[in-house]
Each structure stands twice: as C-alpha cells, then as structure tokens.
Amino acid sequence: MQPTLSVILKNAQSWMNFRFPGSHHLLRDGIPSQTCCQIDEVMTRTSHLTHFFWSGQLLSCPSKEYSVESIANDIAQSRGGITLEGALRLFGVTMPNYSERDTLSVAIWTYASACFAHYASEDVYVVYGEWINETTSVWLNTEYPAIRANHRVERIWKIQAHLGHVEPAQQIWSSRSRALP
C-alpha cells in the first residue's frame, strides 16, 4: 500500500528528528528501491558542491507556472554549485512530473529534496521568487527544516530573484544560533 499524501507531508514536517541512515527509510515507503538508490548515488556524488535551493515564482510573469528554478540553476552553475534538479539531470535520473501531485510523485520528490538537504554542507543558498505558496513550498516545509537540522550546514543565504536581476545574497540563518530567522 502506498502512503497517503498526508502521511508523506507529516513525515516531511518532522525533519528536526530526521537522521541518516537510521530513519530515512520512513520516507522510502512506497518508492521503488531502484529510484531511492539512484537518488542516493546522485546526492553522494554531488555532496562536495555548494547546494542551491529555490522556491516560488516571479510576479511579473503572466503565468504562475514560471518558477525561479531556471534562475537558481543559472546562479548555481555560475558559482560552481548545483540545484537538486541539476544534479538529477547531470546523472541522468528520470524523475516523475511533480506538478501531477500524485502520491508517488510527491513521495519521490520529497525523498530527493530531503536527501539533497541532508547532503548539503557549509554555505547553502536559496533563490526566492517574488511569490511563494507557503502551504505547498517544498523549501519551507521540507528542505529548510532538514537543512537547519543538518549539523554540517553553517549558513543559509537567500537570493531574491526578480525579472531580469537578482539581489545580493543575504544571510538568513546561522548554525551558531540554530534559531528561526
């Protein structure tokens, strides 16, 4: 039996207790083991790179489908880093379409996001759009809590994206405080 979306989201919300490798099997329920192994391999092979996350869309675009994913990928590449999607593409891992929002797709992407956050270290960046849906944001609900629980991460930097330009990075969290910004 596949886990329900509410179970997946509940697991994603409990990242402060998330530990590898002991309990990450909770998120693997219902995901084909080959998929988990492929994702784990990609995360291991890209763990030395600076991790760039992203969340949201640009308001000035006519379609809400325009996310800041491509902007985050361009910034990551220009700074020698990588996004989750870039890492998966680099190693040829085929992922389901997240916009379908079916239980298995959400579970696989949640697992991949959690792994990417787990393997991050030192400075981590998040590229923010001008509009973020706080209810469904993978960054806010999965990745950010997982990164804050990751003792290898020292700082989180936010880069605000706009159509045609980005603002300089601002530190939004430090491991010295371990508190919410």
Side-chain angles (χ1 to χ4, degrees):
M1 181 175 159
Q2 291 186 11
T4 64
L5 183 56
S6 63
V7 168
I8 293 166
L9 294 176
K10 181 180 176 191
N11 286 340
Q13 295 285 335
S14 65
W15 284 112
M16 294 311 284
N17 298 322
F18 184 76
R19 298 288 182 266
F20 272 81
S23 65
H24 75 293
H25 68 279
L26 293 174
L27 287 176
R28 295 181 116 175
D29 287 349
I31 302 174
S33 61
Q34 181 181 3
T35 302
C36 291
C37 290
Q38 288 178 322
I39 292 168
D40 292 342
E41 177 69 17
V42 169
M43 298 311 132
T44 301
R45 294 179 73 182
T46 59
S47 63
H48 66 286
L49 298 172
T50 301
H51 285 57
F52 284 77
F53 297 82
W54 60 272
S55 188
Q57 292 117 4
L58 300 178
L59 288 177
S60 53
C61 293
S63 168
K64 285 191 176 186
E65 297 300 318
Y66 188 80
S67 74
V68 295
E69 177 185 350
S70 63
I71 296 169
N73 190 56
D74 291 345
I75 294 170
Q77 286 182 349
S78 73
R79 297 182 183 191
I82 199 155
T83 62
L84 169 61
E85 295 79 7
L88 294 166
R89 267 192 310 273
L90 180 66
F91 290 97
V93 176
T94 303
M95 295 290 282
N97 186 347
Y98 185 78
S99 63
E100 306 258 333
R101 296 267 204 250
D102 63 276
T103 303
L104 184 58
S105 297
V106 171
I108 291 170
W109 277 106
T110 299
Y111 180 77
S113 294
C115 288
F116 193 64
H118 170 75
Y119 281 98
S121 62
E122 299 179 11
D123 288 333
V124 169
Y125 293 83
V126 58
V127 178
Y128 258 63
E130 297 164 324
W131 179 82
I132 295 172
N133 183 332
E134 293 182 8
T135 304
T136 61
S137 169
V138 175
W139 163 255
L140 291 174
N141 296 303
T142 301
E143 296 163 337
Y144 182 58
I147 290 168
R148 288 182 37 239
N150 179 344
H151 292 284
R152 290 181 309 279
V153 173
E154 296 174 11
R155 288 171 295 277
I156 301 173
W157 298 85
K158 174 183 170 184
I159 300 172
Q160 183 66 55
H162 303 280
L163 188 62
H165 76 284
V166 296
E167 295 177 13
Q170 294 183 314
Q171 185 177 324
I172 61 170
W173 182 85
S174 168
S175 62
R176 292 181 187 195
S177 68
R178 292 261 171 223
L180 287 168

